[in-house]
Amino acid sequence: MRQTASRTRNFVRRAAVCLAIWAAGAAAARAQEGPYFVTYDHHMEEPGNLEIELEPTTAAPRGGNRFLSGLTEFEYGTTAWWTTELYLEGQTTRNDSTIFTGFRLENRFHVLAGEHWINPVLYVEYEDTSADKSLKEVVGFDSQDDAAQPNGDARRDIERETEAKLILSSDHMGWNVSENFIAEKNLAHEPWEFGYAFGVNRPLRLAASPLSCNWCGENWRTGVELYGGLGTADRFTLHDTSQYLAPVVAWSLPNGTTLRVSPGFGLTDNAYRFLLRLGVSFEFEGAGRKIRQLFHQEAR
Amino acid sequence: MTSGRITTASMLGLILALLAAANAPAAKKQMPDAVRLAAALNKAPAAARTAPNPYTGQSDAVLAGRKLFRQHCAQCHGEEAQGRGKAPSLHSAALQQTPPGVLFWFLRNGNLRKGMPSWSGLPEQERWQLVSYLETLP
């Protein structure tokens, strides 16, 4: 038993060292990174690229303690038409505790070949979370009161859910307009919950500067998101749901880093009055190829 | 609890299997780069063949296009567009004879099933700048 544990520790250590060496030597790429936090557009991760993103969100529920949730996202371009993502989630609540809240696995499939006036993308997700406060999407009758529960109690309620989204997205004259329709099902015999997200954004400058620059307008995208719940299969309505309006800004640096910020404003009583989302992502080009090379070298 | 674990394990297994399948080397013999590229470009509609590049003759557009190429395209096609792995070399006679509008159309649509992403997320102006750079490749 001890031997197995020691072998596992060694493997993890070696894997971590390999990953660190690879990450240090990995070249950065710049993706078509949008500014949205909740809405998805039809742009997939470039094939073979890995994007790692940290996405903290903070808000204070009515009558509860302020929290800071943290999402770590690993997004990989499996093919040009298929992107897969793993999220690891946690949160810390003031005067309470800091906990790991679970994971989610998602896959997005670009349905049609080529670019169209409206581009549909299918999204399928499985999540296994408890006491989750990441607000990655808002569905059903999600309310700020859900987050007022102490972590100890909330952790007992493990949510295993599947989620599907229909993503419709268009690019025109530099603008991106995206609409998402969300259907989520808790596997523990609860009704389907529905939600939506709508986003629009545009770069500050449409043509690139001939010089390499950090501050030029082409590196900035600004826009706005509108998202919220649409009730359940038993009660499809906007009443008693949470609705948010959130301006979004993204700044993509030539070295592959993208910084994003979005202050969100609750439009209904059940929504947080204010929430702040931040995002820092880094794109590793050809990550799949480099990982295969690592294992290939080790096998020799 | 056990059924939840089984569901999680099945989901993970299914996704790993699909990932492995997607990354497996193609069994079919690959066509030569130039033939593949020409075949993809031939799918462009007639309207694309006559669309002019608004940046023709502008050296700044070529420089901007070169910068965009290094940021977005070099990871697959190589820093000097020499080609790498499945991504073909862009130093080809076929490419040089291709009308700018067709290159622009191809950047917008990509060839998703063959691994070329769509670059519709870049504004039109940037895609024309990329075309300006591609036209200068020997």
Side-chain angles (χ1 to χ4, degrees):
Chain A
M1 195 71 159
R2 263 186 205 164
Q3 232 176 1
T4 315
S6 156
R7 266 187 213 154
T8 310
R9 267 199 303 274
N10 280 340
F11 174 78
V12 170
R13 231 174 267 156
R14 284 179 65 192
V17 170
C18 286
L19 193 66
I21 292 169
W22 163 72
R30 222 179 99 177
Q32 307 173 81
E33 198 59 51
Y36 303 136
F37 280 86
V38 177
T39 315
Y40 283 85
D41 60 29
H42 68 292
H43 302 299
M44 315 297 277
E45 184 62 48
E46 283 72 32
N49 281 13
L50 174 71
E51 182 191 290
I52 300 178
E53 173 159 24
L54 298 175
E55 214 179 286
T57 300
T58 182
R62 173 176 50 208
N65 295 315
R66 174 167 289 279
F67 66 83
L68 175 72
S69 75
L71 264 175
T72 306
E73 174 192 350
F74 300 88
E75 182 177 75
Y76 181 66
T78 313
T79 67
W81 52 269
W82 173 16
T83 295
T84 191
E85 291 183 57
L86 168 69
Y87 289 91
L88 301 176
E89 308 179 13
Q91 53 105 332
T92 182
T93 304
R94 190 179 283 169
N95 303 322
D96 198 333
S97 57
T98 301
I99 53 173
F100 174 70
T101 54
F103 72 92
R104 60 181 81 200
L105 274 170
E106 66 173 57
N107 287 279
R108 278 179 284 141
F109 304 98
H110 199 292
V111 180
L112 302 176
E115 187 72 8
H116 299 267
W117 181 245
I118 295 174
N119 299 281
V121 171
L122 287 181
Y123 169 111
V124 188
E125 180 198 289
Y126 172 75
E127 63 180 80
D128 190 319
T129 56
S130 60
D132 172 37
K133 294 179 180 175
S134 64
L135 297 165
K136 189 65 191 149
E137 68 271 314
V138 178
V139 292
F141 297 102
D142 285 354
S143 162
Q144 58 171 317
D145 297 333
D146 303 340
Q149 212 180 359
N151 282 344
D153 295 343
R155 283 196 86 169
R156 283 190 211 113
D157 182 19
I158 297 169
E159 292 182 344
R160 295 196 176 90
E161 295 174 332
T162 55
E163 186 181 302
K165 284 182 189 169
L166 174 62
I167 298 164
L168 301 174
S169 165
S170 316
D171 284 317
H172 188 60
M173 309 279 283
W175 290 91
N176 173 265
V177 182
S178 298
E179 309 88 37
N180 298 175
F181 302 96
I182 309 166
E184 188 174 272
K185 175 82 174 81
N186 190 315
L187 298 177
H189 305 291
E190 285 182 18
W192 282 92
E193 295 177 292
F194 301 107
Y196 75 94
F198 170 83
V200 57
N201 83 81
R202 179 189 189 275
L204 289 186
R205 192 164 180 263
L206 296 177
S209 148
L211 305 171
S212 181
C213 51
N214 288 335
W215 294 98
C216 24
E218 79 211 46
N219 294 340
W220 293 83
R221 276 186 172 265
T222 55
V224 67
E225 283 184 289
L226 183 68
Y227 50 88
L230 291 172
T232 64
D234 300 335
R235 199 175 147 226
F236 191 79
T237 177
L238 283 170
H239 289 291
D240 304 325
T241 61
S242 297
Q243 305 292 326
Y244 294 91
L245 182 72
V248 287
V249 178
W251 179 31
S252 296
L253 295 161
N255 69 1
T257 307
T258 299
L259 305 169
R260 295 185 296 152
V261 61
S262 173
F265 302 94
L267 303 176
T268 55
D269 285 345
N270 280 335
Y272 296 94
R273 282 185 65 189
F274 177 76
L275 56 92
L276 181 67
R277 297 177 192 269
L278 299 169
V280 183
S281 65
F282 194 79
E283 182 101 357
F284 295 95
E285 72 169 54
R289 190 178 62 237
K290 283 173 179 135
I291 289 172
R292 278 196 296 277
Q293 280 170 357
L294 266 181
F295 281 95
H296 187 62
Q297 280 161 4
E298 289 226 331
R300 279 181 198 167
Chain B
M1 198 68 159
T2 316
S3 69
R5 280 189 191 144
I6 290 169
T7 313
T8 309
S10 322
M11 292 284 293
L12 279 167
L14 178 66
I15 284 162
L16 287 173
L18 287 168
L19 283 171
N23 280 316
K28 285 180 191 168
K29 204 176 174 185
Q30 293 285 335
M31 281 192 283
D33 283 359
V35 179
R36 266 194 303 149
L37 189 59
L41 293 172
N42 273 337
K43 290 178 187 164
R49 296 178 191 281
T50 52
N53 182 349
Y55 292 109
T56 300
Q58 295 183 27
S59 55
D60 272 3
V62 175
L63 289 175
R66 182 180 166 81
K67 182 179 88 172
L68 292 168
F69 182 88
R70 297 220 159 157
Q71 285 175 351
H72 300 294
C73 318
Q75 56 186 298
C76 292
H77 290 282
E79 283 287 303
E80 302 303 327
Q82 73 278 17
R84 186 194 282 168
K86 288 181 188 171
S89 163
L90 303 178
H91 298 268
S92 79
L95 195 83
Q96 294 319 307
Q97 288 157 13
T98 303
V102 172
L103 294 177
F104 179 81
W105 170 86
F106 191 61
L107 287 175
R108 178 173 184 263
N109 286 278
N111 192 0
L112 300 188
R113 303 291 176 253
K114 302 286 181 193
M116 167 72 178
S118 151
W119 292 97
S120 63
L122 299 180
E124 283 186 20
Q125 287 81 345
E126 292 193 359
R127 274 180 275 141
W128 279 120
Q129 289 174 322
L130 268 169
V131 169
S132 296
Y133 171 65
L134 293 176
E135 287 179 312
T136 65
L137 293 175

